[in-house]
Amino acid sequence: MFEYQEWENFFAQTPGGIEELAAQELSELGAANIHPLFRGVRFQARKEALYRINYQARLLTRVLAPLITFHCHNTEYLYRQVKTLDWAAFFSPENTFAVFSTVSHSTIKHSHYAALCLKDGIVDYFRERFGARPGVSREEPDLWINLHIENNLATISLDTSGGSLHKRGYRKKSVEAPMQEVLASAIVRLTEWDGATRLYDPFCGSGTLLAEALMSRCRIPAGLLRKRFGFEYLPDFDLSLWSRIKNGAEKAILPLPEGLLAGSDASPAAVSAARVNLQALPFGERVQLGVSDFRSLSTLQDMVVVCNPPHGIRLQEDMDISLFYRSLGDFFKHKCKGSSIFLYLGRKELIPLIGLKPSWKKTLPSGGLDGRLVKFEIY
């Protein structure tokens, strides 16, 4: 019996800054004994909840099922422990796999070498028993296997998600520096938008914030477009239960009222990409899109405005960043009366340039940026 089977314990990976939000979402999806940690959440779940979490969670990147935990001080012992696991319970020499690892505060210093030992142990296990070995694929393997070593305590886990859950499947076209899907979903959740008022994004880019808002409002499962999940390779996988979970979630999808979601961007290429991406989702064709500089918009009154404006890195070289953000603040002040503004900024130094007093600020790091989500109430 593997560790996850004995204790029904799992570990969800999530970006830093949204651990508490992810814990709330896990609770809503049926998890129990939930403990937020740094960049992750430990929890317990039965099969039904595990399948539902992988299919519907918007704030997680992977859900790991621990197979074995042991004290490990050198790579030779790691290799021997890997070979003791019954890998044939999960896959065969005809399948492909990939490994990823993290190492900290341990006698084993290099995560890449630790991952190589894990890979070699799996390959040699199959060679000795079947005379054949599974292939390694870094692109789309059948199974992802994780190794985590911290303070010389090693845990080998199977990725029940089958690759990062941020890959929703709707991003058919992209633009420079697109927002990551999990971050966009966290921002939408933090707005507390319930669909009672209109939501508008005046810097829509390739449409990620609008897509995540659409999926949230219409209860579209985050994994709707994914072809498969890692939990389908678990030895105790229940196909009939998974089908019931999947069908039930899809029957709960709601239509999007016309005019409820809209956005624009100064770049025609970005708007074109957003249109293609949104149309990959149910009711995505109902999201209104247009090409417009924000300064040319007439009014965005009495609605929720959420956006990710240029951070300076993506601004044109001849554009003064201070002037840009002052004009953005003026736009909010004069054309967004009665609206709640949620602005994601890649650098906290940009906040004072808006010239408005924030209602609150939330730290949301992303891609090496010390990002902030800032709320402004325009009365």
Side-chain angles (χ1 to χ4, degrees):
M1 180 177 286
F2 299 101
E3 189 175 310
Y4 81 90
Q5 293 173 307
E6 183 175 3
W7 305 105
E8 295 182 331
N9 60 323
F10 300 90
F11 181 79
Q13 295 181 338
T14 190
I18 66 169
E19 295 90 347
E20 292 292 340
L21 280 180
Q24 293 171 15
E25 182 180 53
L26 283 165
S27 178
E28 294 164 4
L29 294 172
N33 294 327
I34 300 166
H35 301 284
L37 303 169
F38 176 66
R39 298 178 67 87
V41 183
R42 185 171 288 118
F43 66 97
Q44 288 183 307
R46 296 190 172 182
K47 290 180 188 178
E48 180 177 351
L50 176 66
Y51 300 167
R52 186 184 298 115
I53 288 164
N54 271 295
Y55 193 48
Q56 296 183 245
R58 310 183 193 284
L59 304 179
L60 312 179
T61 51
R62 295 179 191 262
V63 179
L64 303 178
L67 307 181
I68 185 175
T69 300
F70 55 95
H71 291 282
C72 181
H73 294 81
N74 59 69
T75 52
E76 291 79 9
Y77 185 71
L78 170 63
Y79 172 81
R80 291 199 302 270
Q81 286 295 106
V82 171
K83 290 181 66 180
T84 66
L85 285 169
D86 182 16
W87 293 106
F90 302 101
F91 63 124
S92 72
E94 286 72 42
N95 293 118
T96 59
F97 74 102
V99 300
F100 59 107
S101 67
T102 54
V103 174
S104 63
H105 307 105
S106 301
T107 54
I108 297 175
K109 302 295 184 185
H110 303 290
S111 60
H112 179 73
Y113 186 56
L116 186 62
C117 291
L118 173 59
K119 186 268 292 183
D120 289 345
I122 295 171
V123 166
D124 291 345
Y125 164 93
F126 279 102
R127 275 183 177 147
E128 292 171 10
R129 285 162 180 76
F130 303 101
R133 54 156 290 179
V136 174
S137 171
R138 293 295 300 182
E139 297 301 319
E140 291 189 18
D142 295 320
L143 270 84
W144 283 95
I145 298 161
N146 174 254
L147 170 65
H148 178 71
I149 306 176
E150 185 174 2
N151 296 317
N152 295 315
L153 188 66
T155 300
I156 298 174
S157 304
L158 186 136
D159 175 14
T160 69
S161 305
S164 181
L165 292 172
H166 86 273
K167 296 180 179 179
R168 314 285 204 226
Y170 62 72
R171 195 189 293 280
K172 309 298 182 183
K173 285 192 173 184
S174 190
V175 295
E176 184 182 358
M179 176 172 277
Q180 206 251 30
E181 293 85 342
V182 174
L183 173 63
S185 189
I187 290 171
V188 170
R189 189 178 179 103
L190 286 165
T191 68
E192 298 183 344
W193 180 63
D194 59 4
T197 57
R198 195 180 193 214
L199 185 146
Y200 195 97
D201 180 356
F203 297 91
C204 71
S206 58
T208 309
L209 277 167
L210 291 173
E212 295 299 323
L214 167 66
M215 296 179 84
S216 175
R217 168 59 178 78
C218 297
R219 301 180 187 172
I220 299 169
L224 181 71
L225 303 179
R226 290 176 71 93
K227 295 178 181 177
R228 56 187 170 79
F229 292 87
F231 61 72
E232 296 175 54
Y233 287 89
L234 294 176
D236 51 358
F237 173 60
D238 187 332
L239 178 58
S240 62
L241 177 60
W242 163 228
S243 297
R244 289 200 300 273
I245 295 295
K246 190 173 186 294
N247 293 335
E250 290 169 12
K251 287 179 181 177
I253 294 175
L254 300 173
L256 179 71
E258 294 284 353
L260 189 62
L261 269 175
S264 56
D265 199 283
S267 164
V271 173
S272 176
R275 185 169 286 112
V276 170
N277 294 337
L278 285 161
Q279 288 178 353
L281 292 167
F283 310 111
E285 73 283 354
R286 297 187 183 181
V287 180
Q288 298 173 354
L289 296 171
V291 178
S292 177
D293 184 281
F294 74 93
R295 287 160 287 209
S296 301
L297 296 172
S298 57
T299 180
L300 297 179
Q301 291 188 5
D302 301 316
M303 63 179 70
V304 171
V305 178
V306 57
C307 59
N308 174 32
H311 304 151
I313 299 169
R314 291 187 290 130
L315 281 173
Q316 298 173 6
E317 291 182 3
D318 60 349
M319 185 181 296
D320 182 271
I321 191 168
S322 298
L323 180 62
F324 175 85
Y325 275 94
R326 279 200 300 273
S327 63
L328 184 59
D330 290 341
F331 170 77
F332 291 153
K333 190 186 305 180
H334 299 298
K335 293 189 177 182
C336 299
K337 296 184 185 298
S339 293
S340 296
I341 314 293
F342 296 89
L343 199 63
Y344 182 74
L345 301 171
R347 293 187 288 146
K348 63 183 180 181
E349 295 82 9
L350 299 175
I351 299 173
L353 302 181
I354 300 292
L356 298 171
K357 184 178 179 180
S359 299
W360 53 252
K361 294 175 280 187
K362 169 74 174 175
T363 302
L364 290 177
S366 175
L369 297 175
D370 185 24
R372 297 290 190 278
L373 179 66
V374 188
K375 180 182 180 181
F376 300 99
E377 291 281 5
I378 311 298
Y379 299 104

